[in-house]
Amino acid sequence: MSSVEEVYVLRSLQLNAIELDKQVLEILKTQVSNTAKFINVGVVGNYQPEIDALLKLILWKIPHILNWTEKGVKVVSFVNLLVFMLQGRYPTLVDRLLSHRIVSSGGSRNPDYQFTSRELLWHSLNWSKISGRAPPQGTGREMLTPALIWGLLDPVCGETPSGAGYQGRTN
C-alpha cells in the first residue's frame, strides 16, 4: 500500500504547466547562450545537452525549493506566535528578525467612554424626533437588528408590514 495520495489534476492544467516549462526553459537557454557567446562556440555546442539537462534540473528544483521554503516559513511563524504568546514581544516574524519592539507612548490606556455615551444619547434623541416614539428596548432575549431598530420589521412577529407572515399590531 502506497503512502502517497493521488491528486487529480486537470489535463488542461498539466498541458499549461508543460508549455510554461518549455517557455521558461527557452528563456533560460537564451540567457545562457547570450552569456556564453563570449566563450568559444565549439565548447558550448559540445555541451549543449548537458546544459539543457542542467537547466531542466534547475527549473525542476526551484518549485520544490520554494515549496520547502514556504512550509519552513509557516512553521517558524507558528513557533514565533507561540513564543509571542508566552513572552509578549515580537508579534510577527519580521518584527523578531528586525528586533522591532512595539513601545507604548506612555499615555493612559484607560479608555474614555464619554464620547460613546454622548453618541448613544444623541442617536436616541434623534430616534425620538424622527419616529415620535422612544427607541426600542431589548429584553435581552431577542437580537436588535438594524431593520428592527429603524422600524422596518414588526417587533411582535418579526415580519415586514408588506410580508406574507405579517399579522398586524394587536395594540
Side-chain angles (χ1 to χ4, degrees), residues 19-33:
E19 284 300 314
L20 183 62
D21 285 348
K22 286 179 184 177
Q23 290 175 0
V24 170
L25 188 61
E26 284 301 316
I27 291 171
L28 289 174
K29 280 184 185 179
T30 305
Q31 293 297 323
V32 168
S33 64

Side-chain angles (χ1 to χ4, degrees), residues 96-165:
R96 184 168 297 280
L97 292 173
L98 298 175
S99 298
H100 177 252
R101 293 191 58 188
I102 298 173
V103 180
S104 176
S105 63
S108 173
R109 300 278 303 190
N110 296 330
D112 184 18
Y113 294 109
Q114 182 180 3
F115 177 76
T116 308
S117 299
R118 210 178 287 161
E119 280 290 310
L120 289 171
L121 179 64
W122 176 254
H123 286 295
S124 68
L125 290 175
N126 280 342
W127 170 269
S128 298
K129 266 193 224 176
I130 293 171
S131 67
R133 56 189 170 156
Q137 301 293 320
T139 61
R141 288 181 293 178
E142 73 273 355
M143 186 174 82
L144 291 176
T145 63
L148 183 63
I149 291 172
W150 291 105
L152 299 176
L153 295 178
D154 189 333
V156 176
C157 66
E159 292 290 327
T160 61
S162 61

Side-chain angles (χ1 to χ4, degrees), residues 1-2 20 24-25 31 41 47-48 59 61 68 75 104 114 129 154:
M1 184 177 250
S2 176
L20 183 62
V24 170
L25 188 61
Q31 293 297 323
V41 178
Y47 295 106
Q48 191 63 41
L59 185 62
K61 285 284 188 180
W68 180 83
V75 169
S104 176
Q114 182 180 3
K129 266 193 224 176
D154 189 333

